[in-house]
């Protein structure tokens, strides 16, 4: 067993008297890939102390759960800097999408890239997330939009998980955009998505299913067909919902007991109530809000009032959030959305785990996974406070130094 001392631990456990579930002068015992004991150093049972063969002095570090980025489009070809310029010149995200740019442009470059090329480009982004203590990462497909290219993206995602000390959770996002070859035949493309899903699932490539419910993407009725198919395979669903307009996506997702609804700037009261009843997590994406220069803030007070768990993610993607810093997202969640630093950190730990349907991580407690990060900060709020700093000293993944 391994012991860490000379640290404070922000356990992020729910419902503790201390903010952040903080334990000062803590000890943490790891047995294999799991936490065996977490508490005040003074309370560490002598026999456990004696059984620790590896003893680590954390030199005053703050320890938090490994960070969880629960919404990314990490794998893609090319970039969209030209669209950034066009938007600064007055074009809107929706204008660009309607003119064949936007997601469709990334689909072209992703299809043109080999799996190896995608891997090389994605590794650069992954390295930055890993450097900030991310131990679990969700990666969506959705820039292939054919069986061959969606498979390629998902295989690259699995490969990145295998080649790093990192858990990758894959999400099939076949219903992300209408590919050019299906112009004006969106129902036919949904049929195509329904043929891709079981095949990719049978190849072990799909952990969850997502869709983009929006006037520039798919209607609630089309999303419902995709979700029915997911349900018949026993796969959990998530939804890009109410980002640019309120299409009732949240209520639809809640009917399918979605793990999460993501974006939610235009979420209605009915949507929030439905999410609360279904225990669907609200994943907020301040990077996309910032980068698209949105002005409508997600209804934070309403989410709190309904008791909806809030997660924060990078939404790393080339069009709306070319961002590889989850710490920066914590800051933006506070400055732009007025979350507290504690809510923001819960959003990238406990609630992010919930948004992925994982109950073995996201908090530091006996029996949970030994995924944690040592930070060179005195108090937890500093993680959300600094802009562009990275105080990560060390990351432990499944009990091992990364
Ligand atoms: O989360 N909303 C849809 N999907 C992405 C954007 C993808 C893109 O523009 O390439 C998002 O914002
Ligand atoms: Fe997204």
């Amino acid at each position: 067993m391994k012991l860490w001392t000379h640290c404070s631990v922000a356990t992020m456990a729910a419902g503790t008297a201390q903010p952040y579930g903080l334990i000062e002068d803590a000890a943490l015992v790891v047995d294999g890939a799991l936490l065996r004991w977490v508490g005040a150093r003074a309370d560490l049972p002598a026999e456990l102390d004696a059984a620790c063969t590896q003893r680590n002095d954390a030199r005053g570090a703050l320890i938090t759960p490994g960070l969880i980025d629960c919404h990314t489009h990490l794998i893609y070809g090319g970039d969209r800097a030209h669209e950034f310029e066009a938007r600064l010149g007055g074009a809107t995200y929706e204008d660009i999408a309607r003119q064949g740019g936007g997601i469709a442009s990334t689909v072209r470059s992703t299809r043109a890239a080999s799996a190896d090329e995608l891997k090389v480009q994605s590794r650069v982004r992954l390295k930055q997330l890993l450097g900030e203590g991310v131990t679990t990462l969700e990666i969506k497909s959705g820039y292939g939009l054919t069986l061959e290219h969606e498979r390629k993206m998902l295989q690259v995602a699995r490969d990145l998980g295998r080649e790093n000390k990192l858990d990758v959770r894959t999400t099939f996002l076949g219903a992300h955009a209408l590919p050019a070859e299906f112009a004006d035949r969106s129902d036919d493309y949904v049929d195509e998505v329904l043929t891709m899903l079981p095949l990719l699932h049978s190849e072990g490539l799909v952990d969850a299913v997502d869709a983009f419910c929006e006037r520039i993407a798919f209607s609630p009725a089309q999303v419902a067909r995709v979700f029915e198919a997911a349900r018949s395979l026993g796969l959990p669903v998530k939804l890009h919902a109410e980002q640019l307009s309120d299409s009732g996506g949240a209520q639809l997702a809640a009917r399918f007991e979605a793990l999460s609804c993501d974006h939610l700037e235009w979420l209605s009261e009915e949507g929030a109530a439905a999410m609360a009843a279904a225990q669907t997590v609200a994943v907020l994406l301040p990077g996309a809000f910032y980068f698209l220069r949105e002005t409508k803030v997600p209804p934070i007070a309403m989410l709190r009032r309904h008791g909806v768990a809030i997660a924060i993610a990078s939404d790393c993607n080339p069009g709306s959030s070319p961002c590889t810093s989850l710490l920066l997202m914590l800051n933006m969640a506070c400055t732009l959305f007025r979350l507290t630093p504690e809510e923001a950190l819960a959003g990238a730990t406990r609630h992010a785990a919930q948004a992925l349907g994982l109950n073995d991580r996201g908090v530091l407690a006996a029996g949970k996974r030994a995924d944690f990060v040592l930070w060179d900060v005195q108090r937890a709020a500093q993680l959300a406070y600094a802009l562009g700093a990275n105080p990560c000293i060390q990351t432990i993944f499944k009990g091992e130094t990364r």
Side-chain angles (χ1 to χ4, degrees):
M1 284 191 282
K2 301 173 184 172
L3 173 69
W4 273 261
T5 54
H6 297 133
C7 54
S8 46
V9 175
T11 65
M12 300 313 292
T16 59
Q18 288 301 318
Y20 302 91
L22 191 74
I23 305 169
E24 314 245 28
D25 194 8
L28 195 143
V29 178
V30 169
D31 191 359
L34 301 180
L35 291 165
R36 175 70 178 271
W37 193 89
V38 182
R41 170 95 172 97
D43 298 337
L44 177 65
E47 64 278 12
L48 262 187
D49 192 341
C52 289
T53 47
Q54 190 202 96
R55 309 176 82 81
N56 301 279
D57 181 346
R59 299 173 188 214
L62 174 77
I63 296 183
T64 70
L67 299 190
I68 298 172
D69 195 347
C70 66
H71 179 144
T72 85
H73 310 250
L74 185 92
I75 296 167
Y76 58 82
D79 78 288
R80 305 235 292 274
H82 54 290
E83 291 182 6
F84 178 53
E85 289 179 310
R87 284 196 298 105
L88 290 171
T92 70
Y93 185 70
E94 281 193 68
D95 292 340
I96 293 169
R98 290 185 200 287
Q99 288 155 14
I103 295 172
S105 128
T106 300
V107 170
R108 288 189 289 274
S109 30
T110 303
R111 286 180 179 176
S114 68
D116 281 343
E117 286 164 346
L118 285 180
K119 218 178 281 180
V120 168
Q121 294 174 36
S122 305
R123 272 192 201 118
V124 177
R125 297 186 276 271
L126 177 58
K127 198 171 161 216
Q128 295 181 21
L129 290 167
L130 290 172
E132 284 189 350
V134 170
T135 50
T136 299
L137 177 69
E138 188 256 16
I139 302 179
K140 300 178 196 295
S141 68
Y143 292 125
L145 311 185
T146 64
L147 178 62
E148 175 194 354
H149 295 291
E150 288 290 295
R151 177 189 282 133
K152 175 177 69 177
M153 290 188 71
L154 293 166
Q155 284 173 340
V156 169
R158 284 277 186 251
D159 285 350
L160 292 178
R162 272 190 287 269
E163 68 184 41
N164 291 280
K165 288 185 177 171
L166 165 81
D167 235 9
V168 167
R169 307 293 296 178
T170 57
T171 302
F172 173 61
L173 179 54
H176 192 196
L178 189 62
E181 60 276 18
F182 279 89
D184 301 321
R185 293 191 297 126
S186 59
D187 285 324
D188 292 349
Y189 178 64
V190 174
D191 290 343
E192 189 65 23
V193 169
L194 299 190
T195 53
M196 287 184 227
L197 175 57
L199 291 168
L200 296 169
H201 175 55
S202 71
E203 294 167 27
L205 293 171
V206 181
D207 296 326
V209 174
D210 192 354
F212 188 16
C213 188
E214 193 56 70
R215 52 194 177 210
I216 54 167
F218 297 95
S219 68
Q222 291 171 327
V223 170
R225 293 182 61 210
V226 177
F227 282 2
E228 292 285 1
R231 180 150 67 186
S232 73
L233 295 169
L235 285 168
V237 300
K238 315 169 73 67
L239 189 66
H240 280 71
E242 341 295 26
Q243 179 186 9
L244 308 169
S245 60
D246 175 16
S247 54
Q251 293 92 309
L252 167 72
R255 272 208 282 126
F256 287 86
E257 294 170 325
L259 292 174
S260 71
C261 286
D262 304 40
H263 288 287
L264 298 176
E265 278 80 350
W266 292 82
L267 179 68
S268 66
E269 187 91 42
E270 298 71 38
M275 287 174 67
Q279 294 189 9
T280 298
V281 177
V283 178
L284 304 185
L285 305 167
F289 175 89
Y290 162 81
F291 195 69
L292 298 182
R293 291 169 39 245
E294 299 288 357
T295 50
K296 193 166 169 59
V297 173
I300 306 299
M302 190 197 289
L303 291 170
R304 287 189 186 121
R305 192 158 19 86
H306 285 277
V308 177
I310 298 174
I312 302 296
S314 71
D315 196 14
C316 173
N317 79 72
S320 68
S321 188
C323 166
T324 47
S325 171
L326 195 50
L327 290 180
L328 181 59
M329 296 303 99
L330 299 190
N331 177 276
M332 287 190 181
C334 298
T335 51
L336 299 175
F337 296 166
R338 292 278 174 246
L339 260 61
T340 66
E342 185 183 0
E343 285 175 319
L345 187 58
T349 54
R350 185 174 77 245
H351 293 157
Q354 195 184 330
L356 295 177
L358 302 170
N359 60 13
D360 61 347
R361 68 196 77 182
V363 298
L364 297 177
K368 300 290 182 186
R369 277 178 46 144
D371 293 351
F372 55 92
V373 188
L374 279 67
W375 305 97
D376 182 16
V377 297
Q378 283 71 53
R379 63 191 118 260
Q382 285 173 271
L383 296 175
Y385 155 77
L387 284 169
N390 182 7
C392 176
I393 300 168
Q394 195 177 43
T395 303
I396 310 297
F397 175 72
K398 287 169 101 178
E400 288 182 13
T401 305
R402 195 160 75 180

